[in-house]
Amino acid sequence: MTINTVSSKTLKAILKCLATTPEKLTPEDAATGLRAIINGEANDAQLAGFITALQLRGMGMRPDMLAALAAETQRHALVPKLEPSQTEMIVDIVGTGGDGWNTFNISTTSSLVAAAAGLQ
């Protein structure tokens, strides 16, 4: 079944495309799938299936897919409301807290040191 517009694609249709004809998946389709997940329209199995299928089908190696997924994530980002006194010294330490390889995680340690020094 061919679906002509992004808005008419459901997460179920996107998952089917990933499973059967991944070469036809567009960046807009990937963004639509992620949007459904972010909006709470996916169950746990669909969430796992979407992420797994993207990885297994090599979508993480396609810059256009990564850009579409990143842009969709940014559209849903929450911007913190900070008081003027809070904006003088704020530090953002990027990191996930672990890479699964049991290596030393410098970003986690850095956040603890920064907090101990009084940074927010």
Side-chain angles (χ1 to χ4, degrees):
M1 176 171 130
T2 301
I3 299 173
N4 296 324
T5 63
V6 172
S7 63
S8 67
K9 280 199 175 178
T10 64
L11 182 56
K12 184 176 177 180
I14 292 166
L15 288 168
K16 182 177 179 181
C17 181
L18 273 167
T20 60
T21 55
E23 67 281 357
K24 293 184 179 178
L25 188 80
T26 67
E28 293 77 18
D29 295 338
T32 299
L34 181 58
R35 185 177 316 114
I37 290 168
I38 291 171
N39 289 336
E41 300 167 11
N43 61 40
D44 290 346
Q46 290 172 318
L47 168 64
F50 181 75
I51 294 170
T52 301
L54 285 176
Q55 178 65 24
L56 291 176
R57 296 302 190 174
M59 299 302 161
M61 300 300 291
R62 289 184 44 188
D64 58 337
M65 289 291 178
L66 292 175
L69 292 167
E72 189 62 35
T73 302
Q74 287 178 330
R75 276 192 277 285
H76 296 275
L78 301 176
V79 178
K81 291 181 171 66
L82 301 173
E83 297 296 321
S85 63
Q86 294 175 300
T87 60
E88 293 175 15
M89 180 72 82
I90 296 177
V91 177
D92 183 13
I93 305 285
V94 178
T96 62
D99 61 5
W101 291 89
N102 295 322
T103 59
F104 180 76
N105 190 282
I106 194 67
S107 62
T108 300
T109 304
S110 299
S111 64
L112 294 172
V113 171
L119 297 175
Q120 299 179 10

Tab-separated table of all heavy atoms in Angstrom, residues 82-92 114 117-120:
chain	number	residue	atom	x	y	z
A	82	LEU	N	14.205	30.588	33.276
A	82	LEU	CA	15.202	30.958	34.281
A	82	LEU	C	15.015	32.395	34.722
A	82	LEU	O	14.713	33.276	33.911
A	82	LEU	CB	16.612	30.776	33.710
A	82	LEU	CG	16.972	29.378	33.236
A	82	LEU	CD1	18.329	29.386	32.544
A	82	LEU	CD2	16.971	28.408	34.397
A	83	GLU	N	15.186	32.608	35.989
A	83	GLU	CA	15.166	33.958	36.529
A	83	GLU	C	16.470	34.645	36.129
A	83	GLU	O	17.497	33.990	35.957
A	83	GLU	CB	15.050	33.911	38.053
A	83	GLU	CG	13.771	33.274	38.552
A	83	GLU	CD	12.540	34.068	38.140
A	83	GLU	OE1	12.590	35.309	38.163
A	83	GLU	OE2	11.524	33.430	37.794
A	84	PRO	N	16.475	35.979	35.980
A	84	PRO	CA	17.703	36.681	35.600
A	84	PRO	C	18.893	36.336	36.500
A	84	PRO	O	20.008	36.202	36.029
A	84	PRO	CB	17.323	38.152	35.716
A	84	PRO	CG	15.850	38.163	35.480
A	84	PRO	CD	15.335	36.884	36.086
A	85	SER	N	18.646	36.130	37.776
A	85	SER	CA	19.759	35.808	38.673
A	85	SER	C	20.332	34.419	38.404
A	85	SER	O	21.464	34.124	38.768
A	85	SER	CB	19.296	35.890	40.136
A	85	SER	OG	18.291	34.919	40.375
A	86	GLN	N	19.569	33.560	37.747
A	86	GLN	CA	20.025	32.206	37.454
A	86	GLN	C	20.841	32.121	36.168
A	86	GLN	O	21.428	31.091	35.895
A	86	GLN	CB	18.827	31.260	37.333
A	86	GLN	CG	18.064	31.057	38.611
A	86	GLN	CD	16.840	30.200	38.368
A	86	GLN	OE1	15.970	30.547	37.588
A	86	GLN	NE2	16.795	29.063	39.047
A	87	THR	N	20.841	33.163	35.372
A	87	THR	CA	21.496	33.086	34.070
A	87	THR	C	22.941	33.565	34.092
A	87	THR	O	23.607	33.553	33.075
A	87	THR	CB	20.707	33.904	33.025
A	87	THR	OG1	20.660	35.268	33.443
A	87	THR	CG2	19.307	33.344	32.851
A	88	GLU	N	23.424	33.983	35.245
A	88	GLU	CA	24.797	34.478	35.319
A	88	GLU	C	25.819	33.358	35.154
A	88	GLU	O	26.842	33.539	34.524
A	88	GLU	CB	25.023	35.199	36.648
A	88	GLU	CG	24.225	36.473	36.757
A	88	GLU	CD	24.364	37.099	38.132
A	88	GLU	OE1	25.276	36.729	38.883
A	88	GLU	OE2	23.538	37.971	38.446
A	89	MET	N	25.569	32.192	35.758
A	89	MET	CA	26.543	31.117	35.711
A	89	MET	C	25.830	29.771	35.659
A	89	MET	O	25.511	29.175	36.673
A	89	MET	CB	27.453	31.171	36.938
A	89	MET	CG	28.503	30.087	36.979
A	89	MET	SD	29.844	30.268	35.801
A	89	MET	CE	30.878	31.408	36.659
A	90	ILE	N	25.524	29.326	34.446
A	90	ILE	CA	24.895	28.019	34.263
A	90	ILE	C	25.824	27.190	33.388
A	90	ILE	O	26.346	27.658	32.381
A	90	ILE	CB	23.512	28.148	33.601
A	90	ILE	CG1	22.581	28.908	34.528
A	90	ILE	CG2	22.947	26.771	33.281
A	90	ILE	CD1	21.223	29.154	33.960
A	91	VAL	N	26.026	25.948	33.781
A	91	VAL	CA	26.904	25.049	33.043
A	91	VAL	C	26.083	23.864	32.557
A	91	VAL	O	25.298	23.304	33.307
A	91	VAL	CB	28.061	24.554	33.950
A	91	VAL	CG1	28.940	23.569	33.209
A	91	VAL	CG2	28.866	25.728	34.470
A	92	ASP	N	26.273	23.492	31.317
A	92	ASP	CA	25.595	22.325	30.758
A	92	ASP	C	26.648	21.258	30.487
A	92	ASP	O	27.548	21.453	29.681
A	92	ASP	CB	24.876	22.716	29.473
A	92	ASP	CG	24.087	21.558	28.877
A	92	ASP	OD1	23.897	20.540	29.571
A	92	ASP	OD2	23.674	21.674	27.717
A	114	ALA	N	31.272	19.970	39.190
A	114	ALA	CA	30.695	21.294	38.958
A	114	ALA	C	29.643	21.611	40.025
A	114	ALA	O	29.595	22.733	40.555
A	114	ALA	CB	30.082	21.364	37.566
A	117	ALA	N	31.140	22.491	43.250
A	117	ALA	CA	31.733	23.828	43.211
A	117	ALA	C	30.656	24.919	43.240
A	117	ALA	O	30.984	26.107	43.229
A	117	ALA	CB	32.599	23.975	41.959
A	118	GLY	N	29.383	24.510	43.255
A	118	GLY	CA	28.306	25.491	43.359
A	118	GLY	C	27.677	25.897	42.055
A	118	GLY	O	26.806	26.766	42.018
A	119	LEU	N	28.069	25.272	40.950
A	119	LEU	CA	27.471	25.613	39.644
A	119	LEU	C	26.138	24.904	39.483
A	119	LEU	O	25.902	23.856	40.068
A	119	LEU	CB	28.416	25.214	38.512
A	119	LEU	CG	29.756	25.949	38.514
A	119	LEU	CD1	30.662	25.393	37.422
A	119	LEU	CD2	29.546	27.427	38.302
A	120	GLN	N	25.287	25.514	38.680
A	120	GLN	CA	23.962	24.929	38.402
A	120	GLN	C	23.895	24.464	36.981
A	120	GLN	O	24.388	25.066	36.102
A	120	GLN	CB	22.882	25.967	38.635
A	120	GLN	CG	22.846	26.455	40.041
A	120	GLN	CD	21.764	27.506	40.216
A	120	GLN	OE1	20.937	27.730	39.360
A	120	GLN	NE2	21.778	28.162	41.359
